[in-house]
């Protein structure tokens, strides 16, 4: 998928995506300090992060400065816009995976996908993971895939139970409020599973049609 579609997909499956059409450019999450390294004077502070629905608008509306392009978009092969590009490159790099696992946009989207899994599915662990799997990949998980994801949830739950501050820190990523009705440890574990789903090759590569347990390891 293109850089814009990868971000929009994560926001859409999580329920965060704003469906507002038109309007001025918005400023979603952006690494601090980039403008100060490239530009000087009054223009050094031109990027002020938005708030509310501005953080969840379609990527089409993201503010773009040619001298300081959005680094998350460049990672996924968005052109610099300095020249006309007939066809974009398509790369697969470890840095892309690092971004999908740590960028506030995707961590927050994982948290909201986890909330959907906990609120919209029956109470069993398997049914909740099945729902998240269907939302992201539009198919049912195979038994081996479900087993790996269940094991991952149990491992994450045990880790967060031993490190509750870590779970609380994970759920605070992003500007949206934490759901007080959800168990912190379980929600953090489901967030980890949701992040795994959003990072699968099948979720970011439209050519992928099959998934085996090695992709989930």
């Amino acid at each position: 998928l293109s850089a814009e579609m990868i971000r929009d997909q994560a926001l859409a499956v999580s329920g965060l995506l704003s469906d507002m059409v038109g309007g001025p450019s918005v400023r979603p999450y952006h690494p601090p300090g980039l403008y100060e390294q490239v530009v000087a004077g009054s223009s050094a502070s031109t990027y002020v992060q938005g708030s509310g629905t501005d953080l969840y608008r379609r990527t089409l509306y993201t503010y773009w400065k040619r001298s300081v392009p959005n680094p998350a978009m460049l990672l996924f092969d968005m052109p610099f816009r300095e020249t006309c590009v007939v066809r974009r490159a398509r790369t697969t790099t470890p840095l892309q995976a690092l971004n999908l696992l740590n960028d506030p946009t995707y961590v927050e989207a994982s948290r909201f996908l986890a909330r959907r899994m906990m609120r919209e599915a029956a109470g069993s662990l398997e049914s909740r993971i099945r729902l998240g799997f269907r939302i992201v990949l539009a198919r049912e998980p195979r038994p081996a895939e479900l087993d790996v994801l269940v094991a991952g949830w149990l491992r994450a739950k045990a880790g967060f139970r031993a490190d509750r501050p870590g779970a609380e820190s994970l759920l605070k990523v992003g500007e949206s409020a934490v759901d007080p009705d959800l168990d912190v440890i379980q929600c953090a574990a489901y967030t980890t599973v949701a992040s795994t789903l959003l990072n699968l090759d099948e979720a970011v590569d439209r050519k992928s049609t099959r998934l085996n347990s090695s992709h989930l390891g």
Side-chain angles (χ1 to χ4, degrees):
L1 300 176
S2 66
E4 299 94 328
M5 293 177 68
I6 291 175
R7 178 178 177 274
D8 289 358
Q9 173 184 248
L11 293 175
V13 299
S14 68
L16 282 169
L17 184 67
S18 169
D19 59 2
M20 177 182 173
V21 176
S25 298
V26 294
R27 292 168 170 79
Y29 302 118
H30 193 281
L34 290 183
Y35 276 71
E36 290 79 358
Q37 295 178 31
V38 179
V39 296
S42 60
S43 62
S45 59
T46 54
Y47 195 98
V48 178
Q49 180 181 298
S51 60
T53 57
D54 282 2
L55 299 172
Y56 315 115
R57 296 288 306 281
R58 287 182 171 85
T59 311
L60 170 69
Y61 299 109
T62 297
Y63 174 81
W64 185 277
K65 187 178 182 66
R66 282 190 298 173
S67 59
V68 195
N70 188 295
M73 296 297 102
L74 293 182
L75 284 179
F76 293 97
D77 309 307
M78 176 181 275
F80 276 90
R81 299 187 182 181
E82 294 178 343
T83 58
C84 179
V85 175
V86 178
R87 178 180 296 177
R88 293 190 186 186
R90 286 290 189 269
T91 62
T92 302
T93 69
L95 195 56
Q96 292 171 351
L98 190 67
N99 179 263
L100 290 174
L101 288 168
N102 295 281
D103 188 299
T105 294
Y106 299 104
V107 176
E108 187 176 27
S110 297
R111 171 160 61 92
F112 271 75
L113 177 57
R115 188 172 77 167
R116 290 192 63 184
M117 294 162 67
M118 297 179 72
R119 287 188 173 277
E120 297 177 19
S124 72
L125 170 59
E126 289 79 5
S127 64
R128 288 173 169 174
I129 291 179
R130 285 181 182 275
L131 174 63
F133 199 99
R134 290 198 305 270
I135 290 173
V136 176
L137 301 180
R139 67 172 178 85
E140 288 287 344
R142 287 181 279 274
E145 296 168 339
L146 184 60
D147 290 345
V148 172
L149 290 169
V150 167
W153 185 89
L154 293 172
R155 184 170 59 249
K157 181 184 178 183
F160 287 125
R161 181 175 291 169
D163 180 22
R164 185 180 179 88
E168 295 173 345
S169 177
L170 174 65
L171 299 184
K172 290 179 181 177
V173 174
E175 295 296 319
S176 56
V178 177
D179 191 331
D181 296 329
L182 299 179
D183 179 79
V184 171
I185 303 302
Q186 290 198 26
C187 188
Y190 279 111
T191 298
T192 301
V193 172
S195 178
T196 300
L197 293 173
L198 293 177
N199 278 270
L200 294 174
D201 286 347
E202 191 171 348
V204 298
D205 184 352
R206 64 181 180 178
K207 295 181 180 179
S208 298
T209 57
R210 293 187 61 83
L211 177 69
N212 57 51
S213 59
S214 66
H215 293 124
L216 288 161

